[in-house]
Structures are given as structure tokens and as C-alpha cells.
């Protein structure tokens, strides 16, 4: 008896002519019209960062094939890497079971996702013995 075949994961293909439609209603947008997005590196599975998207950011991400977020502090669309060159090429995109969180599996250009120059934004770890956050950044080692 042979093992059942597992269907391949869907691979992402940008759709430059994609238009808004009912598919956007599958996403549960918060009161500000935003949804949290987790960026995970496709190869290492490292969690790189958390950001926000609005409808336009999601649409632009799907059109370009690179991560585009909504920056709450600047109140505008932010094409990740537009200044640093550290773009995130989309390999897969998933919507969670409640429709209220998006997961991007990305290829991180130059391995730097954080604006501090770190690989991941999550470089501070809780140390229970010290009751403090400990900086585990690679640049300080």
C-alpha cells in the first residue's frame, strides 16, 4: 500500500491585473481597516517581523509579488526595502482560520528584515532570572 499523495503547497504568482473583489471580504479587517501580518523566512522558518496591511497594501503585495505594508506612524503604504533594498519576495501567502492574520512566507533579500540591521525584529528575549529583556542581537556579538 503506497502512502497517500500530499498535494503540493500553492506557490505564489503575482497578478499585476488583480482588482479588488469579494476575496478581500475573507479578511477580517480591524476598526482601522488593518490586519496584522507576520513575515516568516521561507528557508529558515525564522519569524522576521510583524507589520500591518490595509486593503491597498494587500492588493499591491499580490500585484508586485513583494511585501507592501501600511505604516501607521507615517500613514502611507510602505514597500518593504524601498529605502534599504532589503525587499521581501513573496513565496507563499496564507490567511489564518479566523481571517484576521496574514502569514507571508518570504525570501528576505540580504537576510536583513529589521530596520536596526538585524536579521529578525525579534532579537530581545525575556530572561526570567533577571526579570528583564536581554538583547541577543547578532550585531552586538
Amino acid at each position: 500500500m503506497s502512502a497517500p499523495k500530499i498535494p503540493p503547497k500553492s506557490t505564489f504568482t503575482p497578478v499585476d491585473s488583480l482588482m479588488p473583489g469579494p476575496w478581500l471580504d475573507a479578511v477580517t479587517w480591524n476598526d482601522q481597516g488593518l490586519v496584522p501580518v507576520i513575515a516568516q523566512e521561507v528557508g529558515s522558518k525564522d519569524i522576521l517581523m510583524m507589520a500591518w496591511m490595509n486593503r491597498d497594501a494587500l492588493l499591491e503585495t499580490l500585484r508586485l509579488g513583494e511585501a507592501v505594508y501600511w505604516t501607521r506612524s507615517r500613514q502611507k503604504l510602505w514597500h518593504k526595502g524601498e529605502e534599504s533594498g532589503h525587499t521581501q519576495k513573496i513565496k507563499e501567502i496564507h490567511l489564518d482560520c479566523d481571517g484576521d492574520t496574514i502569514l507571508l512566507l518570504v525570501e528576505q533579500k540580504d537576510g536583513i528584515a529589521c530596520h536596526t540591521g538585524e536579521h529578525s525584529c525579534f532579537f530581545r528575549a525575556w530572561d526570567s532570572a533577571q526579570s528583564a529583556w536581554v538583547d541577543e542581537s547578532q550585531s552586538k556579538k
Side-chain angles (χ1 to χ4, degrees), residues 20-29 55 58 95 98-100:
W23 60 271
L24 275 170
D25 296 333
V27 178
T28 303
W29 307 95
R55 285 170 173 79
L58 178 56
L95 184 62
D98 296 320
D100 62 3

Side-chain angles (χ1 to χ4, degrees), residues 17-37:
S17 61
L18 185 63
M19 299 300 291
W23 60 271
L24 275 170
D25 296 333
V27 178
T28 303
W29 307 95
N30 71 13
D31 293 342
Q32 292 81 43
L34 303 173
V35 64
V37 181

Side-chain angles (χ1 to χ4, degrees), residues 5 15 17 35 49 64-65 68 90 93 105 112 119 136 139:
K5 290 194 177 196
V15 182
S17 61
V35 64
M49 57 181 281
L64 288 176
V68 177
I90 306 299
I93 185 165
L105 291 174
I112 298 172
H119 172 63
E136 295 182 337
S139 62

Side-chain angles (χ1 to χ4, degrees), residues 2-107:
S2 63
K5 290 194 177 196
I6 299 171
K9 285 201 173 215
S10 60
T11 55
F12 179 80
T13 304
V15 182
D16 61 353
S17 61
L18 185 63
M19 299 300 291
W23 60 271
L24 275 170
D25 296 333
V27 178
T28 303
W29 307 95
N30 71 13
D31 293 342
Q32 292 81 43
L34 303 173
V35 64
V37 181
I38 302 296
Q40 182 177 28
E41 192 170 40
V42 71
S44 69
K45 301 296 185 202
D46 290 346
I47 302 297
L48 299 176
M49 57 181 281
M50 181 273 175
W52 297 92
M53 282 186 179
N54 63 9
R55 285 170 173 79
D56 291 337
L58 178 56
L59 190 59
E60 199 61 19
T61 295
L62 295 171
R63 287 178 180 159
L64 288 176
E66 291 187 350
V68 177
Y69 301 109
W70 175 255
T71 167
R72 296 177 302 163
S73 60
R74 292 179 280 162
Q75 293 289 298
K76 68 175 198 157
L77 291 180
W78 161 46
H79 183 179
K80 175 70 173 141
E82 64 192 4
E83 293 177 18
S84 67
H86 303 300
T87 55
Q88 294 176 336
K89 184 175 181 183
I90 306 299
K91 293 300 187 175
E92 294 178 32
I93 185 165
H94 300 267
L95 184 62
D96 80 336
C97 58
D98 296 320
D100 62 3
T101 304
I102 291 175
L103 172 65
L104 301 178
L105 291 174
V106 301
E107 184 178 278

Side-chain angles (χ1 to χ4, degrees), residues 124-138:
R124 294 187 287 177
W126 180 253
D127 184 322
S128 296
Q130 297 181 48
S131 293
W133 295 104
V134 177
D135 187 336
E136 295 182 337
S137 60
Q138 296 301 310

